[in-house]
Amino acid sequence: MSIAFTFPGQGSQAVGMGKELAEAFPEAAAVFAEVDDALGERLSDVMWNGPKETLTLTANAQPALMAVSMAIIRVLETKGLDLRSKVSFVAGHSLGEYSALCAAGTFSLPDTARLLRIRGNAMQAAVPVGKGAMAAIIGLEHDDVEAVCREASSLGACQIANDNGGGQLVISGEKQAVEKAAALASEKGAKRALMLPVSAPFHSALMAPAAEAMREALSSVEKRDPVVPVVANVLAAPVNDAGEIARLLVEQVTGQVRWRETVEWFAANDVTTLYEIGSGKVLTGLARRIDKTVNGIAVNTPADIDAALAALLA
């Protein structure tokens, strides 16, 4: 029986996130200041005061969510948590994989902030606005969604971007093809096929220019093997070699986030508790739907941190 830490992805951001942590813990405030310094701007002001539209921009949301996760990790460590001895694995949803790797020591905090700013800008710039789209497909199996993507791809790129579990998959690609796939999914019996209000077709082949930008950025940053293995998005299996991790992060930009399989891998490998470190409770909800034998616990407030420490240090 073991523990894993998971780290949320885009969509978990909210104006005000991290402010209570910064006010309660000097170590958390120091993390936000370090991220501000790394980016050369007061991202913390946007996080705490908005406007929401500015925080939601991909280039801001990605480092902001990482900063909240790392503020919590820094507080846990300051109060006695040793990741290597208490946590068996880490994993993160899309950008959350960078938070996981920062927590596990593969990247420094300033480098992680800069990598995510590059990633956010590159993903936004990869496809002209209006050319790409994403849609959520609820209530169909993975193979059925894969089949409708294949059928719709005669109109352009279309693929599964996220397999979030619990019958929730997200597809991504060229707008016309995604709309066609969503219509086909409805015909096949999907409970819902909903176009998403996103700014770019993330985790699709259209993100190839962003993948190249990340290949270049990752090649020039210092990397260390993580102190605990990271369960990689594109493998749904653990890796602990820094070079392989960098290669998989490049692949992740255009590849599928295999979150359902990640949680299933945890359950099959005696992980009984997933602590979600960061803003929101999205991953905790997904874990509950994927495998009821895995206990999900969200850690994002000072009270959550105290409760987690009481359990982890017992």
Side-chain angles (χ1 to χ4, degrees), residues 231-282:
V231 179
N233 282 185
V234 296
L235 288 184
V239 289
N240 49 25
D241 174 76
E244 186 182 5
I245 284 166
R247 182 181 64 76
L248 294 171
L249 287 174
V250 174
E251 200 177 310
Q252 188 223 62
V253 178
T254 57
Q256 184 183 146
V257 176
R258 295 165 62 180
W259 197 254
R260 171 183 57 84
E261 293 169 87
T262 295
V263 175
E264 288 172 348
W265 187 92
F266 283 139
N269 287 274
D270 298 322
V271 174
T272 54
T273 307
L274 300 178
Y275 283 92
E276 180 178 1
I277 309 295
S279 179
K281 300 180 179 181
V282 170

Side-chain angles (χ1 to χ4, degrees), residues 69-303:
S69 292
M70 286 309 302
I72 295 165
I73 289 289
R74 188 78 62 84
V75 174
L76 290 171
E77 289 178 335
T78 302
K79 292 185 178 295
L81 177 75
D82 176 50
L83 202 73
R84 194 194 308 257
S85 64
K86 292 293 185 180
V87 178
S88 298
F89 305 98
V90 294
H93 193 286
S94 190
L95 85 89
E97 191 159 20
Y98 286 79
S99 308
L101 288 163
C102 186
T106 294
F107 303 125
S108 71
L109 177 61
D111 282 344
T112 309
R114 287 188 286 263
L115 284 169
L116 285 171
R117 173 56 57 82
I118 292 165
R119 185 177 183 267
N121 282 328
M123 291 171 90
Q124 193 60 63
V127 181
V129 173
K131 186 185 178 188
M134 298 180 79
I137 311 296
I138 312 295
L140 281 188
E141 294 300 317
H142 184 280
D143 289 352
D144 292 328
V145 177
E146 206 156 50
V148 301
C149 287
R150 229 179 357 258
E151 192 175 337
S153 63
S154 61
L155 298 176
C158 184
Q159 68 194 77
I160 295 174
N162 302 341
D163 179 359
N164 288 329
Q168 182 196 114
L169 293 105
V170 177
I171 62 174
S172 183
E174 293 187 37
K175 189 167 186 282
Q176 197 178 0
V178 170
E179 288 172 342
K180 175 69 172 173
L184 289 168
S186 293
E187 289 171 18
K188 277 188 176 283
K191 290 177 187 170
R192 294 184 76 190
L194 181 71
M195 300 301 291
L196 297 176
V198 295
S199 55
F202 304 124
H203 298 290
S204 77
L206 299 179
M207 289 284 114
E212 285 309 307
M214 291 317 296
R215 191 189 311 281
E216 185 179 335
L218 287 159
S219 71
S220 60
V221 77
E222 186 184 350
K223 300 172 280 290
R224 291 176 291 278
D225 293 345
V227 297
V228 296
V230 59
V231 179
N233 282 185
V234 296
L235 288 184
V239 289
N240 49 25
D241 174 76
E244 186 182 5
I245 284 166
R247 182 181 64 76
L248 294 171
L249 287 174
V250 174
E251 200 177 310
Q252 188 223 62
V253 178
T254 57
Q256 184 183 146
V257 176
R258 295 165 62 180
W259 197 254
R260 171 183 57 84
E261 293 169 87
T262 295
V263 175
E264 288 172 348
W265 187 92
F266 283 139
N269 287 274
D270 298 322
V271 174
T272 54
T273 307
L274 300 178
Y275 283 92
E276 180 178 1
I277 309 295
S279 179
K281 300 180 179 181
V282 170
L283 300 183
T284 300
L286 292 179
R288 197 172 295 125
R289 292 210 296 270
I290 294 165
D291 193 310
K292 292 196 168 25
T293 68
V294 177
N295 184 31
I297 300 172
V299 182
N300 55 37
T301 67

